[in-house]
Amino acid sequence: MYPNGQSNNPGYMALYFHLTSGPNDHSLKWPCPWQQATMVLMDQQSDIRQQMNMHRMITTEPDKMSSDGTEYYWDDPRKVGSKVTASDGSYYYRGPGSGTSTFITHSRLRSRNFIKGDDAFFLFSLEDISNLLVSQPVPPSAVHDDGSLVKAAADQGAPYGAASNLTAVTAMAAFVAAAMLVVAILIAGNAWRTRRRNQEKDDVVIIQGMPGFMEVSVSQAIKSIHKIAFKLVITYCASLKVQQTVTLIE
């Protein structure tokens, strides 16, 4: 920690994380794999709802290399670090650091309760997160529940589909009957007007001003409509039967 900051950012507090040597380094795995360091400057506000702590997280990625690409960044501090001698003559090795030179501004540091009674509190934690990199198997209970839901949905879908098909057949039959009735009324009305106006045969109807129509007899028109409607109903029912057969097979 650099309370007064560094030369490139003098108005900030700087904060860095380093690995240091210890008596059990020979039994540890190097480079240091997947440790997450969390550094927290505590806001000493008495009301916890108004606290605004400052956090910084660093993760030791074992594949990270030094800037020149010759060393692992998080390797054994005795190999990649520098020797630090304390005032009492003891020493240790400190590896390269990772952090920020702009952790918090001095003005913000004084504006809240980060410093209270000339005291500031830092919390530090180190957690192994390597288990987060391994894909976790799906619990058997979850797979069983999902299968039950799919089966229940399939079982409920069959009667619902049959009811929907029955409703569709009824609606189609009603539509065809209504269309036949309207066309029959139009043909009969035109035939009556044509007989009075032109004294022509009762069974001839001429529909003028409508492209695509030609002279037809009333009886022939009605027979044609009956045939078309019957074919529509038969075709639709056949398609529904095929659809139900495919559903049952599935």
Side-chain angles (χ1 to χ4, degrees):
M1 181 180 65
Y2 301 86
N4 295 322
Q6 296 181 310
S7 58
N8 58 336
N9 287 300
Y12 291 82
M13 175 190 289
L15 193 65
Y16 294 89
F17 169 74
H18 299 260
L19 293 179
T20 60
S21 60
N24 299 316
D25 288 350
H26 63 280
S27 61
L28 300 178
K29 185 176 181 179
W30 302 103
C32 181
W34 305 112
Q35 299 293 315
Q36 186 177 73
T38 303
M39 299 172 286
V40 183
L41 172 60
M42 297 294 296
D43 183 356
Q44 300 180 59
Q45 169 65 245
S46 57
D47 189 348
I48 191 173
R49 296 172 298 179
Q50 299 181 17
Q51 289 182 358
M52 297 180 65
N53 300 331
M54 295 293 296
H55 296 75
R56 183 72 181 184
M57 292 184 177
I58 305 294
T59 301
T60 61
E61 300 180 27
D63 296 333
K64 183 178 179 179
M65 303 296 294
S66 59
S67 57
D68 58 5
T70 60
E71 298 174 327
Y72 286 106
Y73 198 86
W74 299 110
D75 206 348
D76 188 342
R78 286 183 172 85
K79 293 173 57 177
V80 298
S82 57
K83 186 177 180 179
V84 179
T85 304
S87 57
D88 60 357
S90 61
Y91 64 91
Y92 62 93
Y93 291 88
R94 182 179 67 185
S98 178
T100 176
S101 61
T102 58
F103 179 66
I104 187 173
T105 63
H106 290 164
S107 59
R108 179 170 174 77
L109 187 63
R110 292 188 294 266
S111 66
R112 298 190 60 82
N113 291 318
F114 294 114
I115 301 175
K116 197 171 185 180
D118 294 332
D119 294 325
F121 291 93
F122 285 85
L123 297 181
F124 173 79
S125 64
L126 191 64
E127 182 181 6
D128 184 359
I129 61 170
S130 57
N131 61 319
L132 300 179
L133 304 176
V134 180
S135 58
Q136 301 297 325
V138 179
S141 58
V143 176
H144 178 73
D145 292 343
D146 290 344
S148 300
L149 290 175
V150 171
K151 183 178 180 181
D155 293 342
Q156 294 177 1
Y160 177 78
S164 300
N165 291 339
L166 181 59
T167 303
V169 171
T170 305
M172 186 67 178
F175 173 78
V176 171
M180 291 173 58
L181 178 61
V182 171
V183 173
I185 293 174
L186 290 175
I187 293 176
N190 284 328
W192 180 77
R193 286 194 296 269
T194 302
R195 284 199 303 270
R196 291 195 57 183
R197 186 168 56 246
N198 300 320
Q199 298 296 318
E200 293 180 356
K201 294 181 180 180
D202 292 338
D203 60 339
V204 175
V205 178
I206 299 177
I207 303 177
Q208 298 177 344
M210 297 180 65
F213 281 29
M214 56 188 297
E215 276 194 12
V216 295
S217 67
V218 175
S219 58
Q220 291 175 347
I222 293 176
K223 288 180 181 179
S224 298
I225 292 171
H226 276 283
K227 289 181 180 179
I228 293 172
F230 182 76
K231 289 181 179 180
L232 287 174
V233 172
I234 294 300
T235 302
Y236 186 75
C237 291
S239 64
L240 289 179
K241 186 176 181 180
V242 170
Q243 181 179 358
Q244 290 177 353
T245 302
V246 172
T247 303
L248 291 175
I249 292 175
E250 292 178 348

